[in-house]
Amino acid sequence: MPRQRKPASPFRYFNSSPEVIRLVVLMYVRFPLSLRNVEDLLFERGIDICHETVRLWWNRFGPLFAGEVRRQRVSRMRGFRHWRWHLDEMYVKLNGEMVYLWRAVDHEGEILESYVTKTRDKKAALAFMKKALKRHGSPEAITTDGLRSYGAALTELGAREKQEVERWANNRVENSHLPFRRRERAMLRFRQMRTLQKFASVHANVHNHFNHERHLVDRQTYKQRRSAALAQWQALAS
C-alpha cells in the first residue's frame, strides 16, 4: 500500500520562518496598524522586512489562516440551533463610490458572514442570507432593521416568521461595525471590491478567534483564554 504523502507546507518557498509570517499577519489584521506601522514595530524587534512584504503575506496567508479558524468554529457550532442572528449592512466607500458590506453576527458577538455588493436590494439580501444559511445552518431568530429587502428575502426563503424588527434590538451588530471601521481608517479605505471582500472575511475570523469577552470574565479566565487562542494561532498551517 503506497504511503500517504504529507501535504506540502504553504511556507516552503519563503525564507522567513512560519512564526514570523503568522506574527505579521496577526499584527496587521487584528490591530489598527498600517503596513508601515507593522514594518517599524518589527524592525524594533530585530525583524527587517519591507512594508510590501507585509502586504504580500497578509494577501497570501490571511485567507489561509482565516479559513482554518472558520472551519474549526463551524464544525463546533453547526449543530447548535439556539442562535439569534443580527443582520445589518454598512456603507463602505471605494474610489468615491458607495458599496454595501452585509454582515451577520450571532447573539454572542461572533461575526458569522461578510458579503460585499453594489446594491442594497432583495437580490443582494437573498444572496447574502443563502451564503450564511448554507455555511452556518438555520438560526432560531433573525433580528434586522427596517430595510424591506430583508423581509422580501426571508419570505422567499420561507423564514419570515423568524424575523424580528424592534427598536434598539439590533445594537449587537451595530456595535460590531466599530472594529472594522477602525481598520478601514488605518488602511486609508479600500480601492477594490475584491480586496474589501477578502479583508472583511479575514478580519472577521481573526476577530472571532481573539474575542474572549473580557468584560464578562475575571482576569485569570481571560488570561487562560488568551493564551489558548494564541497557541492555536501559532499552530495554524503547521
Side-chain angles (χ1 to χ4, degrees), residues 86-212:
H86 299 262
L87 309 184
D88 193 33
E89 72 289 341
M90 58 188 292
Y91 296 93
V92 180
K93 184 176 289 188
L94 295 181
N95 296 324
E97 179 184 359
M98 288 294 186
V99 299
Y100 302 95
L101 176 60
W102 303 74
R103 302 173 78 246
V105 175
D106 69 8
H107 59 279
E108 295 180 345
E110 301 287 332
I111 304 169
L112 303 174
E113 202 64 56
S114 301
Y115 188 63
V116 181
T117 64
K118 289 187 176 181
T119 60
R120 196 170 57 149
D121 53 11
K122 172 189 171 182
K123 181 180 179 181
L126 188 61
F128 165 60
M129 289 184 185
K130 284 182 177 179
K131 184 178 180 182
L133 290 169
K134 181 179 179 180
R135 179 171 288 169
H136 300 280
S138 180
E140 190 175 73
I142 300 177
T143 304
T144 70
D145 56 21
L147 183 68
R148 289 184 292 179
S149 299
Y150 289 119
L154 287 169
T155 299
E156 184 161 330
L157 292 171
R160 185 61 183 268
E161 70 281 355
K162 295 183 177 182
Q163 185 182 19
E164 297 181 358
V165 183
E166 298 178 7
R167 192 179 185 184
W168 317 123
N170 220 20
N171 283 352
R172 170 68 76 177
V173 66
E174 294 285 354
N175 292 334
S176 76
H177 295 330
L178 299 179
F180 184 83
R181 286 298 190 196
R182 286 193 288 267
R183 290 299 298 118
E184 181 188 20
R185 288 193 294 269
M187 296 176 70
L188 301 178
R189 302 188 184 276
F190 299 89
R191 293 172 178 80
Q192 297 179 350
M193 287 187 64
R194 180 177 60 184
T195 304
L196 172 58
Q197 178 67 71
K198 177 189 288 187
F199 188 85
S201 299
V202 173
H203 179 268
N205 287 284
V206 174
H207 179 270
N208 290 343
H209 186 69
F210 291 98
N211 180 24
H212 310 304

Side-chain angles (χ1 to χ4, degrees), residues 24-88:
V24 168
V25 175
L26 174 63
M27 291 176 65
Y28 182 66
V29 177
R30 185 184 177 194
F31 303 107
L33 300 171
S34 67
L35 297 169
R36 288 170 174 81
N37 290 153
V38 176
E39 177 187 356
D40 293 341
L41 288 172
L42 291 172
F43 181 76
E44 184 182 358
R45 289 157 176 79
I47 303 173
D48 187 12
I49 61 172
C50 174
H51 68 276
E52 288 298 336
T53 303
V54 179
R55 188 197 308 275
L56 170 66
W57 284 354
W58 97 254
N59 266 288
R60 175 149 184 170
F61 292 99
L64 174 66
F65 298 155
E68 283 200 35
V69 171
R70 183 178 61 246
R71 282 190 294 271
Q72 293 173 8
R73 173 170 173 77
V74 169
S75 64
R76 293 194 306 266
M77 301 298 293
R78 189 171 178 82
F80 184 64
R81 289 292 175 265
H82 300 290
W83 274 3
R84 179 181 296 275
W85 288 8
H86 299 262
L87 309 184
D88 193 33

